[in-house]
Amino acid sequence: MHKTIRVPAHATGLRVDRFISNETHMAPSLLFKLLRKRSVAHIDADGKRHRLHGSTRVHTGMEIQIPTNIVLPQSTPISTRGSVTSAPQFVQRQLPVLFDNQALSVFQKPSGLSCQGGSKVTYSVDSLLNSNSTEQFRLVHRLDRGTTGALVVAKTRLAAARLAAAFRDHEISKTYIAVLRGVPDMPHGTINCPLLNTGPTVISLINNNLHKEKYAAKAKSAITKYRVLKSGSLDNTRICVVALNILTGRKHQIRAHCAHVLKCPVLNDSKYGSESTTGSIHLHLSEITIPVSSI
C-alpha cells in the first residue's frame, strides 16, 4: 500500500528527501533505503508513476507516493550499539551552538559525523538532533562527513523553505579554510571547471581530460574561488592554508577542484589523492553569511 503526499506552496524547492522527512518523521536510515531502492515516486497529471531521487526538488502541487507499510516514527532507535537516551548527551558534547534564534540554529559539526543517516551510519546530525528534541530540526544544507564547521538547520517548515531558496539563489555565502598538500602555482584565482558525480567520487572535466568529451553533457558547472593565506612545510612536505568560496554547491566540489585542478589535494583526503594518515581531512566551513532578516 502507498500514501500520497501533496507538496504545499511553502515547501517548493526542497529536496525530496528533506520534504519527506519533514512530512512523515521517517527515520533517516529508512528514507535513504527507500530512495536507494527507488520506492518513492511522483504521480503526474496522467496518473503515471515516476521514480524519484533524493536530490530532486519538489514543487507546489506535486504528488509524491511512498509505501505506508514501512513508515516508522522518528523515535525509532538510531543505533544498535546504544539507546536513544544517550543521544542528547552526544549532541551537547559534539554539537556546540554557534547561533540560535526562533527560525534557525547553527551548530559546529565535528569530523566523522554524517549529516544524514544511511545504511552504514550509526549516528547522524539529523537523527541526533531530532531523537529527543521538542523541536523538529530540518537540515537545509550538508557538509561531508569529514568536514568540520558551521551547519545550519531550520526550526520551522517556513524557515526551511526560505533557507533552501536562499541557498539556491546564492544569497548565502560560505568561506572554507583548508590545508592543502602542495602549493598552487597562482596565489589566488577562480576555478571554473565542471564536475561529474560518479557516485563515490567526483571527476573534474578539465581541458584535455580524457573524460571531458565523453561526459561533458552529464557534468554540472562548478566555480570555486581560492586564496593562499600561508605556506610552509610539514614533515618535509610542502603545504599551504587556503580560503575558498564556492559559487556553486556541488558534491565534493572543493576536494575535487583542489585535487584535480590545483593539483593540491586537501591534506589527509585519501579519496582524492592525498596521502592518508590517521587524522581527518583538513577542510572547515569557517564562515557563513545568512540574510537572517529575510528568514
Side-chain angles (χ1 to χ4, degrees):
M1 297 179 64
H2 293 83
K3 175 183 179 180
T4 300
I5 306 173
R6 183 181 292 272
V7 178
H10 65 75
T12 295
L14 291 179
R15 289 167 52 107
V16 163
D17 51 7
R18 175 54 36 209
F19 172 72
I20 294 176
S21 177
N22 292 347
E23 293 294 320
T24 67
H25 307 303
M26 188 185 302
S29 57
L30 176 58
L31 177 56
F32 176 84
K33 182 178 180 180
L34 290 179
L35 290 166
R36 180 166 51 84
K37 291 187 173 182
R38 306 188 69 189
S39 299
V40 178
H42 160 54
I43 309 301
D44 65 18
D46 297 324
K48 295 181 179 180
R49 301 178 80 251
H50 305 274
R51 304 297 184 183
L52 292 174
H53 298 284
S55 59
T56 303
R57 301 287 177 175
V58 302
H59 55 79
T60 303
M62 184 177 183
E63 293 188 345
I64 299 176
Q65 193 176 78
I66 59 174
T68 56
N69 59 326
I70 52 175
V71 175
L72 300 178
Q74 183 71 32
S75 59
T76 299
I78 56 177
S79 171
T80 57
R81 292 183 290 179
S83 64
V84 175
T85 57
S86 65
Q89 289 76 22
F90 184 90
V91 172
Q92 183 177 11
R93 186 174 69 252
Q94 297 286 6
L95 296 178
V97 179
L98 303 178
F99 176 85
D100 182 72
N101 67 12
Q102 292 182 339
L104 60 89
S105 294
V106 182
F107 295 95
Q108 172 83 0
K109 191 189 87 68
S111 176
L113 182 63
S114 297
C115 286
Q116 289 185 302
S119 57
K120 296 182 180 180
V121 176
T122 302
Y123 287 112
S124 70
V125 172
D126 205 11
S127 296
L128 291 172
L129 288 178
N130 291 308
S131 59
N132 272 354
S133 175
T134 57
E135 296 182 282
Q136 180 63 48
F137 291 102
R138 297 165 173 86
L139 289 176
V140 293
H141 74 118
R142 288 179 289 183
L143 298 175
D144 292 340
R145 182 173 182 174
T147 301
T148 60
L151 183 70
V152 181
V153 295
K155 292 183 176 180
T156 67
R157 292 182 182 180
L158 180 59
R162 288 178 173 175
L163 283 166
F167 274 105
R168 184 180 65 248
D169 297 337
H170 308 295
E171 296 175 0
I172 296 176
S173 63
K174 296 182 288 185
T175 300
Y176 290 81
I177 299 295
V179 180
L180 307 184
R181 183 165 62 86
V183 180
D185 294 334
M186 301 296 292
H188 58 84
T190 299
I191 303 170
N192 189 345
C193 178
L195 295 176
L196 174 68
N197 183 1
T198 65
T201 60
V202 168
I203 298 173
S204 300
L205 302 188
I206 57 179
N207 290 332
N208 300 321
N209 188 301
L210 294 176
H211 300 282
K212 182 165 183 152
E213 183 176 347
K214 183 177 180 181
Y215 297 113
K218 297 181 180 180
K220 294 184 178 181
S221 64
I223 302 174
T224 303
K225 292 185 176 181
Y226 74 92
R227 178 167 54 93
V228 177
L229 303 178
K230 192 173 183 179
S231 61
S233 297
L234 176 67
D235 297 332
N236 297 319
T237 300
R238 290 285 290 166
I239 63 170
C240 67
V241 179
V242 296
L244 306 109
N245 299 95
I246 54 174
L247 305 186
T248 51
R250 308 305 181 196
K251 176 182 176 180
H252 297 177
Q253 178 173 323
I254 289 176
R255 298 164 65 185
H257 274 174
C258 288
H260 301 155
V261 181
L262 297 182
K263 306 300 182 185
C264 300
V266 175
L267 193 65
N268 288 350
D269 191 359
S270 58
K271 182 170 287 188
Y272 286 93
S274 185
E275 294 181 3
S276 179
T277 69
T278 56
S280 59
I281 66 173
H282 286 56
L283 180 59
H284 178 75
L285 178 52
S286 64
E287 181 179 320
I288 185 165
T289 303
I290 305 169
V292 176
S293 59
S294 64
I295 307 301

